[in-house]
């Protein structure tokens, strides 16, 4: 059984195969996987159903991206050119193909509502950052930007790593916040019927990319953070983590921070997960070799996949961010 079929269901997987959106694994068929092999820890029945639906959209987004990048006219597709350089094609294609690989392993852990911060993350100009209960600028400080908080986050450590809460040999989790199941963007799914497509594409000329995002967009981005994904996708290994920081108060012990580790997972350039930032990486990385590659940036992959899908589904040549 293909590992993907154990997640989205055999019938759904066979339907994707018939549409050319998924490829069966060649060779001997392994023993069927038990439902517990792909854990949904602390997830309700409804939450599991929502995650399974979002995973189905990850497959669709990845498969559509592969179809687009294997088309002779892919260089004319703004969904590609907005995020990737000419030389990135083969690596980007490999990254999208990796989304349905049986070598990418992960579990899900649904978190209680109070385990994830809510509201936009507001950055302020100097003096040092300030926090305000209403997310409004504190007196005398000018807000620089509002950045959305992630509604899910993957563990990028390799399975060979141990330290802190990380156990060697254990499949790494994607932790899902409660707002994933309530936010309009992550509750949304890709359209499958004519009425759904009509609603999805309504006001397409004035909509921006976030208006088309789905739960699959978010999970695609988080799956790409996994070390197991990065190895299959051929992403370069990068150092992560930090050393212990000095005590901020006299007599206090240094704050323990996760030891450094190496991971092949994607990164969040400038710690941002918006398409505008992903587009700017394309032009900036061309001038600075020290920056991550475009295909190595998580939102570049997610935004490109969503944009390419929207262009085909809604018949548009450009999507604003």
């Amino acid at each position: 059984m293909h590992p993907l079929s154990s997640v989205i269901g055999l019938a759904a997987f066979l339907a994707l195969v018939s549409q050319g959106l998924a490829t069966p694994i060649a060779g001997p068929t392994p023993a069927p996987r038990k439902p517990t092999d792909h854990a949904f820890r602390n997830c309700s029945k409804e939450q599991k159903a929502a995650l399974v639906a979002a995973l189905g959209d990850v497959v669709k987004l990845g498969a559509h991206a592969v179809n687009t990048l294997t088309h002779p006219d892919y260089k004319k597709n703004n969904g590609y050119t907005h995020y990737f350089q000419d030389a990135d094609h083969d690596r980007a294609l490999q990254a999208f193909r990796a989304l349905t690989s049986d070598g990418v392993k992960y579990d899900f852990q649904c978190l209680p509502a109070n385990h994830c911060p809510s509201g936009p993350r507001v950055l302020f100009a100097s003096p040092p950052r300030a926090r305000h209960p209403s997310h409004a600028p504190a007196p005398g400080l000018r807000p620089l930007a509002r950045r959305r908080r992630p509604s899910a986050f993957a563990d990028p450590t390799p399975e060979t790593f141990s330290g802190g809460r990380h156990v060697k040999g254990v499949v790494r989790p994607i932790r899902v916040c409660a707002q994933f199941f309530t936010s309009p963007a992550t509750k949304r799914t890709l359209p499958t019927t004519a009425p759904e497509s009509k609603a999805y594409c309504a006001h397409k000329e004035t909509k921006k990319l976030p208006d088309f995002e789905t739960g699959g967009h978010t999970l695609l981005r988080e799956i790409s953070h996994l070390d197991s994904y990065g190895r299959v996708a051929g992403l370069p290994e990068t150092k992560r983590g930090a050393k212990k920081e000095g005590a901020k108060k006299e007599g206090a012990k240094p704050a323990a921070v996760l030891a450094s580790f190496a991971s092949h997972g994607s990164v969040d350039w400038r710690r941002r997960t918006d398409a505008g930032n992903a587009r700017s990486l394309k032009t900036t990385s061309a001038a600075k070799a020290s920056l991550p590659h475009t295909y190595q940036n998580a939102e570049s992959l997610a935004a490109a996949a969503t944009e390419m899908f929207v262009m085909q589904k809604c018949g548009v040549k450009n999507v604003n961010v």
Side-chain angles (χ1 to χ4, degrees):
M1 180 181 290
H2 193 291
L4 181 62
S5 67
S6 67
V7 178
I8 67 174
L10 180 59
F13 174 72
L14 292 177
L16 290 174
V17 171
S18 67
Q19 300 172 46
L21 297 181
T23 304
I25 296 175
T29 302
R33 299 175 67 201
K34 298 178 182 179
T36 52
D37 288 343
H38 193 94
F40 291 82
R41 297 197 297 273
N42 301 324
C43 299
S44 67
K45 181 179 179 180
E46 293 74 18
Q47 289 174 327
K48 179 179 178 179
L51 289 169
V52 168
L55 282 173
D57 282 355
V58 171
V59 175
K60 294 176 184 177
L61 289 172
H64 188 273
V66 170
N67 289 340
T68 300
L69 268 60
T70 51
H71 192 279
D73 292 333
Y74 75 89
K75 289 185 179 180
K76 298 179 181 179
N77 190 298
N78 285 331
Y80 173 80
T81 59
H82 280 158
Y83 303 96
F84 303 109
Q85 299 169 18
D86 288 346
D88 296 336
H89 173 266
D90 291 350
R91 302 299 293 273
L93 180 59
Q94 183 179 357
F96 287 122
R97 281 177 169 158
L99 291 170
T100 56
S101 169
D102 61 331
V104 182
K105 301 177 182 179
Y106 49 89
D107 288 334
F108 288 101
Q109 179 183 0
C110 296
L111 302 176
N114 60 354
H115 275 52
C116 297
S118 60
R121 185 161 63 94
V122 184
L123 302 185
F124 297 96
S126 55
R129 291 182 187 175
R131 300 178 65 87
H132 193 275
S134 66
H135 301 287
L141 296 182
R142 176 175 58 85
L144 291 178
R146 285 176 176 265
R147 298 180 182 172
R148 61 182 177 180
R149 297 182 187 273
S151 55
F153 49 98
D155 183 343
T157 61
E159 293 183 17
T160 56
F161 178 84
S162 62
R165 294 181 298 173
H166 302 80
V167 180
K168 184 176 181 180
V170 174
V171 174
R172 296 319 191 207
I174 296 177
R175 297 183 173 91
V176 186
C177 300
Q179 59 260 37
F180 180 92
F181 306 102
T182 58
S183 171
T186 43
K187 284 178 62 179
R188 188 184 300 124
T189 57
L190 295 176
T192 57
T193 65
E196 289 176 354
S197 297
K198 183 177 180 180
Y200 184 77
C201 298
H203 310 294
K204 58 188 179 184
E205 294 82 4
T206 57
K207 279 184 177 179
K208 295 185 177 181
L209 191 66
D211 299 317
F212 294 105
E213 290 180 10
T214 61
H217 178 111
T218 294
L219 290 191
L220 190 160
R221 183 178 63 235
E222 295 310 313
I223 289 171
S224 76
H225 284 318
L226 296 164
D227 178 74
S228 63
Y229 166 86
R231 290 175 183 274
V232 175
L235 300 185
E237 186 179 67
T238 58
K239 293 290 184 180
R240 316 287 178 89
K243 297 179 181 179
K244 292 185 177 181
E245 297 178 347
K248 295 183 178 180
K249 295 183 180 180
E250 185 176 353
K253 296 182 179 180
V257 180
L258 180 66
S260 62
F261 61 93
S263 175
H264 290 83
S266 66
V267 300
D268 289 327
W269 182 52
R270 298 196 297 193
R271 297 185 179 181
R272 290 173 57 176
T273 58
D274 59 280
N277 182 65
R279 288 186 180 185
S280 67
L281 175 61
K282 174 192 173 181
T283 55
T284 308
S285 62
K288 296 184 179 180
S290 60
L291 295 180
H293 300 288
T294 56
Y295 54 81
Q296 190 184 4
N297 184 51
E299 185 60 23
S300 297
L301 297 171
T306 294
E307 188 165 339
M308 287 186 278
F309 178 87
V310 172
M311 291 175 63
Q312 188 276 331
K313 174 61 68 174
C314 301
V316 295
K317 295 183 178 181
N318 186 64
V319 182
N320 294 323
V321 296

